Amino acid sequence: MNRFRNVAWSGAIVSLLAFVPAAIQAQEQGQAPQPVQASPVDFTQIVAEVSPTVVAIIAQRPQRERPMRGGAGDLPFGGAEPDAPPRTAAAQGSGFVISEEGHVVTNNHVIQEATEIEVLLADGSRVPAELIGTDPATDLAVLQVDDLTEGTSVASWGDSDALLPGAWTIAIGSPFGLGETVTVGVLSARSRDIRSGPYDEFLQTDASINQGNSGGPLFNAQGEVVGVNTAIFSPTGANVGIGFAVPSRLATLIVDQLIEDGEVRRGLLGVNLQQMTEVLAEALGLDDVQGVLVSQVVPDGPADDAGLQMGDIILQLGDQDIEMPRDLSLAVAELAPGTVAVLTILRGDEEMEVEVMIGELRPPETPDSPAEAPDDALPEGMRLGLALSPLPSAIRRELDLPGSSGAMVQDVVPGSPAQEAGIRRNDVIVEAGTQLVDGPGDISQAWSEAMAEDRPLLIRLLRGGASLFVALRP
């Protein structure tokens, strides 16, 4: 059930606290009264309206056999007779109806590997469901029920971007198999990255979310769906007041594609990015830390075709400012392949706009790691905390490097500038101070020049097939 440590995929009702309205306080202090946002006395009417849209999901999965204790007469480990039919176990989650055609939204992990899926409607009827499509990257799935009861309610999407921390949130689902369970809390934070996937930007709520709530809706105070309850953070596996929901802004994009095409197509730019830091900015001769640094351009990719280069700094995509690599990754992923996007970049001292036709993201191929360097290589460059050797020709051919370029990192001295910059053993250094490296001597010379001028040294290296910039400060 867990996709990462201490986060359980799917929870105490928050009491309404009495307070002195700000308008009364202002009058007592002789100030002009300020408008106060009205809060609901309770959520009875909202829950009555939206509860019929919420369903339970029952997924039959192959049961993984557990080894049995050994002993005379016991079956072999595996615990199943040779000709016995495969066993299944029921997993239960939540979902909600979003169309009169019977489309139901839930989590991918609720129905993953299911051999049979049923939906338990609010009126108690249990009907089979067809899987329309899934998106494991956002943990969303869409089902379809053909035999919807006449008059079944349909949920309405709300605007998750309009929801601010402190706003009321209402979770409805089937935790631990208990159907139609309502919990209430506030939005704790937005755009949470919990490192469960590449497109994390969860809403965080303290409305109770537990096992079985997965895939259920998170409503706002107007009864609109602003999120799909997906995960909790918990040391114990039970709710501790930190739950996460996929925001409706993202969920609607994914769900619409799944309904239309059965799959999700994401945009691709074709670059590797790094966060800009003060040290990198100084090494690049920049006064401000802004944008994200292009550390590698994928050959023949959209960025390469558009003329982007290593060392470019991307400032904007369209009108959106780019402050972190994740900003650009999320923005590009939401663009349809074939879209022409405008990037504002900084190249040297010149700011320019570049048009790029967005490609289509496909499952990445895992590059081979560089081979070990020869044991008899002689270490050089220890003044900056590195033991370097010439790059073996076999590795140079594998990395498609010209001539005799490159140097292999044999060792990194603990506490040295190289270790502080994040350089690792077996990294391949290809540039130092924007100059190509033909061997360890070039790196030593560039380091000496940086020390003499009291400035950081910009290094470009290759690690696992990817290009990376680091800055070493004397």
Side-chain angles (χ1 to χ4, degrees), residues 67-77:
M68 300 179 62
R69 295 180 182 270
D74 280 345
L75 294 173
F77 284 147

Side-chain angles (χ1 to χ4, degrees), residues 223-239:
E224 301 167 325
V225 178
V226 291
V228 183
N229 299 323
T230 299
I232 63 173
F233 180 87
S234 173
T236 63
N239 179 268

Side-chain angles (χ1 to χ4, degrees), residues 3 46 60 99 101 149 158 175 192 201 203 233 263 335 351 384 405:
R3 283 180 55 187
I46 296 171
Q60 299 291 338
S99 75
E101 290 75 27
T149 305
R192 285 296 197 209
E201 51 175 341
L203 302 177
F233 180 87
E263 62 179 0
L335 295 176
E351 185 173 307
L384 53 87
S405 61

